[in-house]
Amino acid sequence: MDNVHESMASGITGTTSKPVSAASGQKKATRGWLTKLSQIVPPLMAFIVLIGGWELIVTWIGTPTYVLPKPSDIYLAASDNFSSLMASAWKTVWESIYGFAISVVLGVSGAIFLGLSKTIEKSIYPYAVILQTIPIVAIAPIIVIWFGAGMNSIVIIAFLIGFFPMLSNTLIGLNSTEQNMKNLFTLYNASRLQTMWRLRIPAALPFIAAGMKISCTLAVIGAIVGEYVAGIGGGEGGLGYAITVAATRLQTPYLFACGLSASLLGVAFFLLINAFSKWLLSSWHESEMKVDN
Amino acid sequence: MSESDNNISIMADWVQLNHVNKVYSNGTVALQDVSLHIKENEFISFVGPSGCGKSTVFKLIAGLTEATDGDIRIMGMSPAHARKQSEMAFVFQDHTLLPWCSVEDNVMLPLSLRGMPKKQRLEEAARVLELVGLKDYKKALPRMLSGGMKMRVSIARALASRPKLLLMDEPFGALDEITRQTLQQELLDIWQREKGMTVLFVTHNVFEAVFLSTRVMVMTPRPGKIAEEISIPFAFPRDDSYHATPEFSEYVREVSAALKH
Ligand SMILES: Nc1ncnc2c1ncn2[C@@H]1O[C@H](COP(=O)(O)OP(=O)(O)OP(=O)(O)O)[C@@H](O)[C@H]1O
Ligand SMILES: [Mg+2]
């Protein structure tokens, strides 16, 4: 976080004053690299120690592969079945993206609708909260009954799990505008829609971005859960489906490979959305920091 | 000054409050029997201890809240109507700038809200930013500006709508003494240049009130009322040398004495 602040600060002064000399700029860049390196090296060391330890201990004890595979077993399982692993991952990627996109669109527009009137908000929002408390695995079978096994149901489950964080975050953001600002808009005869569009939605952007960061990882989880209950085979299944199949066949190394792929996917998705939100809030990072810290 | 006072005899009062009472819903008597007669081109300051109803007077004039009793006329119209006609503009202690909009966009806000075409809006923005001496900063974001500059932008935004009535509620309250004095001088210059603009100004600072105003309204609390009206007939343009005159000290003494009642 420290070097992020630093680079932002230098970015700002850079626009108003003359840029620093090339030499000191270079020095700064080197220092930046060093701090980056010092952030990467310790977790990398921990990773190597963990993987090495795991490999050695499991080999030494002689645990059967179907109970606990060694890292090398997992790697072999992944590379041997690389094309089917990629196909499953790709499937899950799309399910997550669709589910996430729908939860963003409906969450934000739903919150804007609720935010337009206090009466509407008060009468509908409680139901959204109640809906949120129902565990997703409890509704999942009903969704399969309604929409059939396959893509549709999985996307709906991924959407449902990410929807509420989007809705509530956006609504909090829309209601976060200061009284003074609202007064100002009233005094200049702004209509309700003008206030929404010119004041409340821009003010809610950092909250929307924070909601997206939560929802994107939830959407991957939703897609995997959806595939557990609604996945279909025939080369069409995603990672969640592949995991259930691998489990019934005791292909534990491949199961691990699928699980790891799923978590990598979640991380990648998060980093992507994180970068997007940085870009979205670039013109007003003050508040992004408020949400971040 | 006195000329423009005379040539509007029909609509003599720009702002008129007749025996206005304001009781808030929780029972607080904020104002009791307040009458005001303010003419075109006046610069009126309201001074008084916290809670004496200065902001309430402003809210009534802006039509943000209704009087319990009495009558309020702004250029012959009801407050809400006058506001709809965009005759009023506002500056608060807090600069209330939109952090995600450039200085220029902030200044144009009241104009774009009422649907003025872009070209005209840009011209107005250029005009008022020149007035407050910030024309080189039109693309800057508020967070890059100092407190005094933000307040200048806030004033520019109010001037952009060419108001006949400018309401300023403790605009310089959060600024340091030197910035405050610079802005006082600039405000006076602008007020003299923008002919026909009436300024209502709330402050806790007696020196500020005496320096700026043509008249000072001294208010007392519980219930809020106007205890005394003090004319400050010292000639305009006023500058720093006014601070050193015996008249200035005399006015300050007079206002302070009225406050102590
Ligand atoms: N919305 C409200 N509801 C109830 N009472 C209020 C409300 N607004 C103001 N008051 C009360 O009315 C009185 C006058 O308030 P007002 O804000 O006009 O004072 P003020 O002179 O502007 O004070 P300050 O110098 O602190 O800004 C105070 O006693 C205050 O508590
Ligand atoms: Mg006040």
Side-chain angles (χ1 to χ4, degrees):
Chain A
M1 218 39 231
D2 263 6
N3 67 342
V4 172
H5 278 273
E6 204 171 273
S7 65
M8 273 177 172
S10 66
I12 291 165
T13 50
T15 56
T16 50
S17 63
K18 288 267 175 288
V20 276
S21 75
S24 82
Q26 198 130 47
K27 220 179 266 171
K28 216 171 212 169
T30 329
R31 212 180 51 199
W33 263 106
L34 281 178
T35 42
K36 220 169 238 168
L37 218 62
S38 73
Q39 278 173 349
I40 294 171
V41 169
L44 199 68
M45 294 297 282
F47 181 77
I48 292 168
V49 168
L50 183 83
I51 297 293
W54 179 357
E55 183 81 31
L56 281 178
I57 290 170
V58 173
T59 317
W60 184 57
I61 297 177
T63 322
T65 308
Y66 67 87
V67 177
L68 182 61
K70 297 187 293 292
S72 58
D73 296 330
I74 298 169
Y75 175 77
L76 280 179
S79 55
D80 287 350
N81 305 291
F82 190 67
S83 62
S84 60
L85 182 63
M86 277 299 111
S88 299
W90 195 239
K91 186 88 185 158
T92 305
V93 165
W94 280 110
E95 289 158 356
S96 312
I97 289 178
Y98 284 137
F100 172 65
I102 299 173
S103 65
V104 171
V105 170
L106 291 188
V108 170
S109 52
I112 291 173
F113 174 71
L114 293 187
L116 275 175
S117 142
K118 266 276 168 258
T119 329
I120 300 179
E121 183 187 329
K122 274 190 195 135
S123 46
I124 296 181
Y125 190 64
Y127 295 102
V129 178
I130 292 171
L131 194 78
Q132 157 69 10
T133 61
I134 305 173
I136 196 77
V137 269
I139 345 176
I142 306 172
I143 289 164
V144 179
I145 290 171
W146 287 346
F147 299 95
M151 186 82 169
N152 288 351
S153 290
I154 296 170
V155 168
I156 289 171
I157 292 167
F159 146 69
L160 278 178
I161 218 169
F163 172 70
F164 189 76
M166 281 315 301
L167 181 82
S168 59
N169 261 289
T170 310
L171 198 57
I172 292 169
L174 291 176
N175 291 334
S176 73
T177 43
E178 292 168 49
Q179 189 58 42
N180 282 342
M181 292 291 203
K182 281 190 266 180
N183 274 346
L184 184 83
F185 272 67
T186 316
L187 289 170
Y188 286 118
N189 304 307
S191 70
R192 198 177 280 206
L193 279 175
Q194 280 178 322
T195 309
M196 179 57 86
W197 190 243
R198 305 286 303 270
L199 175 65
R200 296 176 68 194
I201 293 177
L205 274 189
F207 294 82
I208 295 175
M212 285 170 74
K213 285 187 214 167
I214 301 170
S215 286
C216 70
T217 41
L218 285 179
V220 177
I221 294 172
I224 304 272
V225 170
E227 286 165 0
Y228 279 177
V229 285
I232 43 174
E236 284 286 296
L239 287 173
Y241 182 75
I243 287 173
T244 52
V245 172
T248 52
R249 295 186 190 157
L250 284 185
Q251 295 168 333
T252 320
Y254 189 58
L255 195 157
F256 266 78
C258 291
L260 283 173
S261 309
S263 78
L264 281 180
L265 214 156
V267 170
F269 211 13
F270 176 81
L271 291 178
L272 199 73
I273 296 301
N274 200 24
F276 172 75
S277 89
K278 283 247 162 64
W279 171 81
L280 188 71
L281 302 174
S282 54
S283 75
W284 73 290
H285 69 242
E286 257 174 326
S287 60
E288 194 211 11
M289 308 232 148
K290 244 185 271 161
V291 176
D292 261 4
N293 300 341
Chain B
M1 260 283 310
S2 56
E3 267 172 32
S4 56
D5 281 357
N6 294 337
N7 60 26
I8 36 158
S9 43
I10 314 157
M11 221 169 46
D13 286 334
W14 226 231
V15 177
Q16 198 177 74
L17 273 71
N18 287 319
H19 307 290
V20 167
N21 291 327
K22 175 66 190 178
V23 184
Y24 280 109
S25 52
N26 63 359
T28 312
V29 183
L31 294 177
Q32 194 172 58
D33 196 23
V34 169
S35 294
L36 276 178
H37 299 274
I38 297 167
K39 294 191 163 49
E40 183 186 16
N41 225 350
E42 282 201 276
F43 197 124
I44 309 284
S45 288
F46 293 81
V47 293
S50 191
C52 68
K54 304 180 294 292
S55 296
T56 303
V57 171
F58 274 31
K59 279 192 243 169
L60 288 168
I61 292 175
L64 280 182
T65 181
E66 299 259 311
T68 316
D69 280 305
D71 182 47
I72 304 174
R73 298 273 115 192
I74 314 293
M75 286 167 264
M77 294 175 268
S78 73
H81 191 198
R83 198 180 81 214
K84 288 273 176 320
Q85 299 286 312
S86 310
E87 307 284 24
M88 289 186 240
F90 314 84
V91 178
F92 308 102
Q93 176 167 7
D94 187 6
H95 55 78
T96 58
L97 300 177
L98 299 174
W100 52 85
C101 284
S102 67
V103 163
E104 190 175 48
D105 286 338
N106 266 296
V107 167
M108 294 192 296
L109 178 76
L111 309 177
S112 60
L113 284 178
R114 78 166 105 115
M116 182 186 278
K118 176 125 195 214
K119 188 163 171 292
Q120 223 174 321
R121 258 174 14 220
L122 286 169
E123 281 167 16
E124 283 299 304
R127 176 183 74 90
V128 291
L129 285 175
E130 171 94 58
L131 271 181
V132 299
L134 285 180
K135 68 172 163 25
D136 294 336
Y137 290 86
K138 62 183 180 187
K139 295 290 176 223
L141 288 172
R143 68 175 137 85
M144 299 169 172
L145 307 180
S146 68
M149 285 156 94
K150 284 181 197 159
M151 188 41 74
R152 283 197 182 93
V153 178
S154 191
I155 292 172
R157 178 177 61 192
L159 295 173
S161 53
R162 295 184 186 259
K164 300 219 171 69
L165 191 59
L166 177 59
L167 300 172
M168 307 181 90
D169 195 346
E170 291 187 58
F172 304 151
L175 302 177
D176 64 89
E177 189 54 34
I178 293 169
T179 315
R180 175 191 270 261
Q181 288 193 9
T182 319
L183 281 178
Q184 285 170 5
Q185 187 66 59
E186 286 178 16
L187 177 62
L188 269 191
D189 294 346
I190 290 169
W191 169 69
Q192 286 197 274
R193 231 177 305 168
E194 304 275 291
K195 298 259 181 304
M197 182 171 74
T198 303
V199 182
L200 305 191
F201 191 98
V202 166
T203 176
H204 283 116
N205 186 323
V206 176
F207 298 95
E208 185 167 74
V210 169
F211 182 71
L212 293 171
S213 322
T214 57
R215 264 197 295 165
V216 178
M217 304 285 172
V218 180
M219 297 185 68
T220 52
R222 275 174 292 278
K225 58 171 86 163
I226 293 176
E228 216 165 316
E229 275 185 44
I230 296 166
S231 276
I232 314 286
F234 197 88
F236 291 91
R238 296 173 181 172
D239 59 25
D240 218 23
S241 62
Y242 171 41
H243 280 123
T245 61
E247 288 96 327
F248 186 82
S249 329
E250 184 48 41
Y251 299 138
V252 168
R253 205 171 308 131
E254 212 176 316
V255 173
S256 307
L259 271 171
K260 291 208 181 78
H261 276 317

